[in-house]
Amino acid sequence: MEDTNEEERLLPKWPIDTKLVYKIWKKETFNFKESHSPLFERDYTVELRLLENNIVEAYYPNSLLSTVKLLNAANKHFGKINHAQQNTLYYEIDDNFKFQGIKNLDKLIQNIKTIKQQLKEVISAAEYEEIVDDIEVLESTPSYVSKHFGKDIETIHDFYGSPVYDGYYFDLEKKDNLSKSLKKKLLGLIKLNLGQIDILQTDFIDEETYQIELLKGKDTISTKSRQNFEQIKEEFVNHQFKMDDHKDITLHHQKYFYSKQDFILRTYQYEFKIDTPKMKKIMQRTIELID
């Protein structure tokens, strides 16, 4: 393989002061035996504008709070308080457009403190008790705030700067330097003494689109017979993998679609499931460029 310094890299052609509008959708279900948790589903938009000095403005028309699952129980109460909701965060990227961190984290946390105090003044003690623990987790843990407010944005920037490979397959369980480098941006698997899989492939799927696809999984603890991960790999490489075809397993499946013309992320698709005889959890997430 050629020296990656000489290869084309996934660098978006994103002019300064140009806005990208993404719609984000999330859905989660959880079933244990005969019990079912409430359905969690949310969608919202974020407008990204590249500024000078490697700073990006992220504006949320419906406020930043719409991105945080923990505040789901508090949503119905926000209309009762009168405060200037935080709609914008600023974050830094490097020269390869990689996400580096949120710049105005202190202001986000201060806004959460204000919200907590105002909610306490306008809702009953019983209602406040239901939501205060979740708000205080955000208020007191900057790293947690950064993780949740930055997650969608970091996903958009996940593979920027990486080499563009047409028709390559990587087994990320291998220990070579290329696999280690690529794996830094993937969700880590808990290293249990179980069968598992961790693979990535890239290709141009048509004249317009460059795709990066990832599949990670492991046997569940309850699995009585181990999964045939070599067969799953074969399905994946041949673009025949379907999440619903596999039971009693934990799987993460991700797809990134970039425009071949400007290498800006057009669509991201994520599906996760834990499937056991007694418990099933499914998470779905999409990020789509709409303007």
Side-chain angles (χ1 to χ4, degrees):
M1 187 177 295
E2 297 178 5
D3 181 2
T4 56
N5 290 328
E6 300 178 359
E7 293 177 328
E8 185 175 16
R9 290 187 173 272
L10 190 65
L11 297 174
K13 297 176 183 177
W14 186 8
I16 289 176
D17 207 34
T18 300
K19 183 171 64 175
L20 303 175
V21 182
Y22 286 96
K23 181 178 180 179
I24 299 163
W25 172 80
K26 301 178 181 181
K27 181 179 179 180
E28 296 181 22
T29 60
F30 179 78
N31 302 320
F32 182 74
K33 295 183 179 179
E34 300 301 321
S35 63
H36 306 275
S37 67
L39 171 68
F40 169 78
E41 187 170 7
R42 179 166 300 164
D43 66 81
Y44 49 90
T45 59
V46 58
E47 301 174 5
L48 305 183
R49 186 164 63 95
L50 181 62
L51 308 178
E52 295 182 346
N53 301 316
N54 289 6
I55 301 298
V56 179
E57 175 190 74
Y59 173 72
Y60 292 81
N62 296 322
S63 93
L64 277 162
L65 299 177
S66 63
T67 72
V68 184
K69 181 184 178 184
L70 280 179
L71 291 175
N72 191 41
N75 279 346
K76 62 183 179 181
H77 301 301
F78 289 155
K80 303 175 185 177
I81 60 179
N82 181 23
H83 76 290
Q85 289 207 22
Q86 187 76 26
N87 289 75
T88 305
L89 63 80
Y90 296 90
Y91 64 94
E92 185 176 7
I93 56 175
D94 66 13
D95 290 340
N96 289 319
F97 290 84
K98 302 295 290 182
F99 177 84
Q100 298 297 297
I102 297 174
K103 301 291 288 183
N104 60 332
L105 191 59
D106 289 346
K107 289 185 178 179
L108 300 183
I109 294 174
Q110 183 59 48
N111 190 59
I112 292 169
K113 292 180 179 180
T114 301
I115 288 169
K116 186 184 76 169
Q117 183 58 39
Q118 292 188 349
L119 285 173
K120 186 176 183 179
E121 295 171 359
V122 298
I123 63 178
S124 69
E127 290 175 312
Y128 185 75
E129 192 66 28
E130 290 180 359
I131 63 175
V132 67
D133 288 345
D134 289 342
I135 294 177
E136 288 181 345
V137 167
L138 293 174
E139 178 186 2
S140 63
T141 316
S143 61
Y144 199 65
V145 174
S146 179
K147 174 184 176 183
H148 281 273
F149 285 140
K151 187 173 183 180
D152 297 325
I153 289 167
E154 189 167 4
T155 297
I156 292 170
H157 291 264
D158 264 347
F159 284 99
Y160 285 153
S162 65
V164 175
Y165 297 123
D166 184 10
Y168 278 83
Y169 163 82
F170 304 93
D171 188 335
L172 295 165
E173 285 301 301
K174 293 182 178 179
K175 305 303 180 184
D176 57 85
N177 289 334
L178 178 59
S179 293
K180 288 180 180 178
S181 175
L182 287 169
K183 196 168 184 177
K184 286 182 180 179
K185 294 309 299 179
L186 311 182
L187 295 172
L189 292 172
I190 300 173
K191 298 301 182 183
L192 300 174
N193 185 25
L194 301 171
Q196 61 186 44
I197 190 171
D198 198 349
I199 52 179
L200 172 150
Q201 64 181 344
T202 67
D203 48 20
F204 288 98
I205 58 176
D206 54 38
E207 294 297 321
E208 304 293 332
T209 306
Y210 177 62
Q211 174 183 284
I212 299 177
E213 184 178 12
L214 303 97
L215 180 64
K216 293 169 292 159
K218 63 177 183 286
D219 290 325
T220 62
I221 295 176
S222 63
T223 303
K224 295 180 179 179
S225 60
R226 296 296 171 229
Q227 299 286 341
N228 184 343
F229 283 105
E230 290 304 316
Q231 178 183 337
I232 295 176
K233 285 183 182 181
E234 184 176 348
E235 293 174 5
F236 177 79
V237 172
N238 292 320
H239 301 287
Q240 296 173 341
F241 171 80
K242 295 180 181 179
M243 185 82 82
D244 291 340
D245 290 344
H246 303 281
K247 307 297 182 184
D248 204 6
I249 193 171
T250 295
L251 289 169
H252 302 257
H253 187 210
Q254 302 173 81
K255 290 184 177 181
Y256 298 74
F257 298 94
Y258 301 88
S259 165
K260 187 178 177 180
Q261 303 304 315
D262 56 23
F263 283 149
I264 288 175
L265 179 72
R266 287 305 194 269
T267 306
Y268 168 75
Q269 300 171 354
Y270 172 68
E271 190 172 9
F272 162 79
K273 80 171 181 180
I274 301 175
D275 182 287
T276 75
K278 295 183 179 179
M279 185 268 286
K280 289 178 174 58
K281 179 174 183 178
I282 296 175
M283 297 170 57
Q284 296 169 292
R285 181 176 170 218
T286 62
I287 300 175
E288 181 181 6
L289 184 69
I290 59 174
D291 188 12

